């Protein structure tokens, strides 16, 4: 079994309200040793930190405001955001960025909220967990204004093709890949781009409860994605890159530990076998 880290799962989401502990246990049984809980609003980020305190050996949090919710972030929230960023359970600022696909918040508001979070991440020396959809040019232009944070940032759920990838890599970004890669209808550009991601810039994520991989066999009766399906993403990423799953598992886990600044400590079980614990 591969030892994996899910760098983006929305475990504070209400769809996990009834069975979070089981979801975490199933993930660990599938080899997902650690998970990073995505914060997408201020309340949600505080919830992510609280969840980490319940499972300190398994979970860490990101703290930020998703571009969909940009209008909810006011300049006066900066002290609260800074406080959440300083929490020992927090490993990155985000998710933050730009999403012009549906423009749930107006683009100008998205840019304002993103700029605020870029500046804050820089001040607090935190890595960044980024979101971008249909906003590639503006997104990169803003990152280029913050070269110090861009080289400590991961663009989560990358879905674009080779041209966009090359620009993101040149800006210094790491790349997070989800089950989007398993989507035969819309994953083609991503599959073609995957071999171009350097070994030391690649990480894996489920983005659960979203993006249930379409290659899961047999197909689950439900639509909810959860971290135990990360090995399905691993297999497809390895296939597209022409690497063995073992190799991709080892390098993505090492990348996540280095990027987020934690280690996985092996702990022997009395009953035999080992588990991994975040330290
Ligand atoms: Zn996202």
């Amino acid at each position: 079994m591969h030892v994996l880290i899910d760098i983006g799962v929305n475990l504070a989401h209400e769809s996990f309200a009834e069975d979070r502990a089981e979801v975490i246990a199933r993930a660990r049984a599938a080899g997902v040793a650690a998970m990073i809980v995505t914060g997408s609003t201020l309340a949600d980020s505080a919830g992510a930190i609280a969840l980490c305190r319940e499972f300190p050996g398994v979970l860490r949090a990101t703290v930020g405001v998703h571009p969909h919710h940009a209008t909810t972030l006011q300049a006066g929230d900066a002290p609260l955001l800074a406080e959440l960023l300083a929490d020992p359970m927090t490993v990155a600022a985000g998710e933050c960025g730009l999403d012009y696909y549906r423009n749930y918040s107006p683009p100008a508001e998205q840019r304002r909220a993103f700029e605020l979070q870029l500046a804050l991440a820089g001040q607090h020396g935190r890595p960044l967990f980024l979101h971008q959809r249909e906003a590639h040019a503006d997104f990169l232009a803003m990152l280029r204004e913050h070269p110090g944070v861009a080289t400590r940032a991961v663009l989560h759920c990358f879905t674009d093709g080779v041209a966009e990838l090359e620009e993101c890599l040149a800006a210094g970004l790491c790349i997070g890949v989800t089950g989007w890669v398993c989507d035969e209808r819309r994953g083609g550009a991503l599959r073609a781009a995957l071999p171009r991601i350097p070994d030391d810039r690649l990480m894996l994520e489920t983005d659960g409860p979203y993006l249930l991989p379409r290659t899961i066999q047999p197909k689950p009766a439900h639509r909810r994605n959860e971290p135990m399906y990360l090995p399905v993403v691993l297999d497809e990423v390895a296939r597209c890159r022409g690497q063995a799953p073992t190799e991709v598992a080892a390098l993505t886990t090492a990348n996540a530990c280095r990027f987020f600044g934690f280690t996985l400590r092996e702990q022997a079980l009395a009953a035999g076998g080992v588990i991994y614990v975040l330290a």
Side-chain angles (χ1 to χ4, degrees):
M1 194 168 59
H2 308 294
V3 178
L4 299 172
I5 297 177
D6 188 346
I7 68 151
V9 56
N10 302 276
L11 267 184
H13 190 273
E14 61 189 5
S15 67
F16 294 116
E18 301 299 316
D19 62 348
R20 256 183 213 103
E22 289 94 325
V23 166
I24 291 167
R26 280 198 290 271
R28 299 200 84 187
V32 182
M35 291 152 254
I36 299 179
V37 185
T38 308
S40 54
T41 65
L42 285 174
D44 188 60
S45 298
I49 290 173
L51 202 55
C52 293
R53 290 205 213 295
E54 283 181 55
F55 301 91
V58 195
L59 303 182
R60 290 295 181 271
T62 74
V63 158
V65 178
H66 189 288
H68 286 343
H69 308 294
T71 50
T72 68
L73 182 66
Q74 300 306 320
D77 295 324
L80 173 58
L81 202 50
E83 189 183 313
L84 295 172
L85 269 177
D87 193 282
M89 287 296 161
T90 301
V91 289
E95 65 177 309
C96 59
L98 301 175
D99 190 324
Y100 296 171
Y101 177 56
R102 291 210 174 92
N103 281 328
Y104 288 123
S105 283
E109 285 290 286
Q110 293 187 35
R111 290 190 291 271
R112 180 192 56 79
F114 187 28
E115 180 61 35
L116 190 152
Q117 294 179 84
L118 280 169
L120 216 53
Q123 283 160 25
H124 290 265
R126 289 295 197 181
L128 269 173
F129 187 86
L130 298 168
H131 173 105
Q132 186 278 123
R133 198 164 176 200
E134 309 267 316
H136 175 75
D138 281 6
F139 173 78
L140 271 186
M142 290 183 68
L143 275 174
R144 286 190 185 117
E145 299 291 314
H146 298 268
V149 290
T151 50
R152 289 188 67 198
V154 58
L155 175 50
H156 110 99
C157 195
F158 183 80
T159 55
D160 289 330
V162 170
E164 294 85 357
L165 175 71
E166 297 294 353
E167 290 189 346
C168 289
L169 291 173
L173 302 184
C174 292
I175 306 294
V177 178
T178 62
W180 186 280
V181 73
C182 304
D183 190 325
E184 78 288 356
R185 307 159 306 174
R186 56 183 189 174
L190 171 60
R191 283 191 291 273
L194 269 178
R196 312 280 278 265
I197 304 173
D199 279 351
D200 62 353
R201 301 269 200 108
L202 176 68
M203 290 181 252
L204 302 178
E205 46 173 332
T206 58
D207 204 23
Y210 313 112
L211 298 175
L212 181 71
R214 288 169 61 86
T215 50
I216 297 173
Q217 291 297 338
K219 278 203 190 313
H222 57 79
R223 298 275 322 253
R224 188 183 71 170
N225 192 12
E226 55 174 89
M228 74 164 168
Y229 295 129
L230 194 61
V232 178
V233 179
L234 167 75
D235 285 345
E236 185 60 17
V237 167
R239 192 186 68 77
C240 293
R241 288 171 64 83
Q243 290 173 309
T246 308
E247 185 183 359
V248 176
L251 66 90
T252 52
T253 295
N255 290 343
C257 288
R258 189 180 64 247
F259 181 86
F260 292 105
F262 49 62
T263 54
L264 280 177
R265 188 177 297 150
E266 215 173 274
Q267 227 172 53
L269 294 171
V274 293
I275 55 163
Y276 292 87
V277 178
L278 278 172

